[in-house]
């Protein structure tokens, strides 16, 4: 028997899915609550009952999207055959995630200097999961004797991820934008793979 709470949860999930599709295709700025309600054949008043404004709806969708990304990362813990596979997986997965959701992230472009705390919490959760994934890979390789023991793997991986982030920043620093264009993503991806390869070789020797 489906309870009222179950029905509300189902309706909320439908709202999140519809909003995600809108944000994904048209971006945050070109999506209205009216359009989302129309996609669902739902009254605007009912939509606002679940989400008081568009920004709160976006955060809820972001939590769902990030949750899917985290599941991908978590599914690969302890599955890599070597360190390079782990590094390439993290870089490729993040790249594909950004490419797939590029329009969705226009909220970041619009609010780059004033993102809500809720968004930063999600970003930090994702970042920590990426650190945990690669720290686990380093520790596993060290236990196998494939690399020398690393005393501070968390600091090492944090440095790597900071360096990889720096590749993105440097790729846009000489352009009239603070957020990378979609056509820049492949170049950034290649540079990140090269940097990770150099970094990995440093751990092997």
């Amino acid at each position: 028997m489906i309870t009222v709470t179950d029905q509300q949860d189902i309706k909320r999930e439908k709202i999140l899915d519809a909003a995600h599709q809108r944000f994904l295709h048209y971006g945050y700025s070109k999506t209205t609550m009216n359009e989302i309600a129309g996609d669902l054949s739902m009254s605007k008043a009912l939509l606002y009952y679940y989400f008081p404004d568009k920004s709160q709806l976006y955060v809820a969708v972001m939590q769902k999207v990030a949750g899917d990304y985290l599941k991908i990362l978590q599914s690969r813990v302890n599955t890599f055959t070597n360190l390079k596979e782990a590094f390439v997986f993290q870089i490729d997965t993040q790249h594909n995630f950004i490419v797939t959701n590029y329009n969705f992230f226009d909220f970041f472009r619009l609010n780059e200097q004033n993102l809500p705390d809720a968004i930063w919490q999600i970003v930090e959760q994702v970042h920590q999961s990426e650190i945990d994934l690669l720290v686990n890979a380093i520790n596993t390789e060290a236990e196998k004797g494939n690399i020398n023991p690393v005393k501070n793997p968390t600091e090492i991986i944090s440095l790597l991820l900071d360096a990889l982030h720096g590749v993105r920043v440097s790729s846009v620093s000489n352009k009239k934008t603070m957020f990378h264009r979609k056509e820049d993503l492949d170049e950034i991806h290649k540079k990140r793979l090269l940097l990770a390869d150099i970094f990995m070789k440093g751990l092997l020797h």
Side-chain angles (χ1 to χ4, degrees), residues 100-162:
T100 301
N101 292 282
Y102 186 80
N103 288 337
F104 176 78
F105 290 124
D106 82 330
F107 183 88
F108 285 70
R109 292 186 286 274
L110 294 169
N111 301 280
E112 193 164 19
Q113 303 302 319
N114 192 32
L115 288 172
D117 288 342
I119 292 292
W120 283 118
Q121 290 171 5
I122 297 170
V123 170
E124 178 57 32
Q125 184 182 12
V126 168
H127 183 65
Q128 187 59 53
S129 292
E130 291 173 335
I131 290 175
D132 292 344
L133 177 81
L134 296 181
V135 165
N136 180 272
I138 282 184
N139 289 336
T140 299
E141 287 301 292
E143 289 170 4
K144 291 178 180 177
N146 294 332
I147 63 173
N148 293 324
V150 178
K151 294 182 180 179
N152 52 346
T154 299
E155 292 180 19
I156 292 294
I157 290 302
S158 293
L159 176 61
L160 170 62
L161 294 182
D162 285 347

Side-chain angles (χ1 to χ4, degrees), residues 13 21 40 95 105 125 138 148 152 171 188 192 204:
E13 285 299 310
Q21 290 305 310
L40 294 162
H95 171 74
F105 290 124
Q125 184 182 12
I138 282 184
N148 293 324
N152 52 346
S171 295
I188 293 170
R192 282 177 163 173
L204 294 174

Side-chain angles (χ1 to χ4, degrees), residues 69 73 87-102 105 130 180-193:
Y69 179 72
L73 297 184
F87 284 0
V88 170
F89 168 78
Q90 189 276 325
I91 293 170
D92 284 353
T93 302
Q94 187 185 82
H95 171 74
N96 293 335
F97 177 68
I98 293 173
V99 170
T100 301
N101 292 282
Y102 186 80
F105 290 124
E130 291 173 335
H180 46 68
R181 301 171 301 176
K182 196 169 186 178
E183 55 266 35
D184 295 328
L185 294 178
D186 284 341
E187 176 189 352
I188 293 170
H189 181 227
K190 290 177 183 177
K191 288 180 178 179
R192 282 177 163 173
L193 288 172

Side-chain angles (χ1 to χ4, degrees), residues 6-57:
D6 291 336
Q7 290 177 337
Q8 290 178 334
D9 289 344
I10 292 171
K11 191 162 293 185
R12 187 177 187 278
E13 285 299 310
K14 288 182 178 179
I15 292 172
L16 294 178
D17 288 340
H20 183 214
Q21 290 305 310
R22 275 279 170 184
F23 293 143
L24 194 60
H25 290 290
Y26 303 105
Y28 178 85
S29 60
K30 296 181 180 179
T31 294
T32 68
M33 295 291 272
N34 274 336
E35 290 169 335
I36 295 170
D39 291 341
L40 294 162
S41 299
M42 175 186 293
S43 70
K44 188 176 178 180
L46 182 57
L47 178 58
Y48 277 107
Y49 169 79
Y50 284 93
F51 298 98
D53 59 51
K54 188 171 71 167
S55 64
Q56 291 187 46
L57 175 55

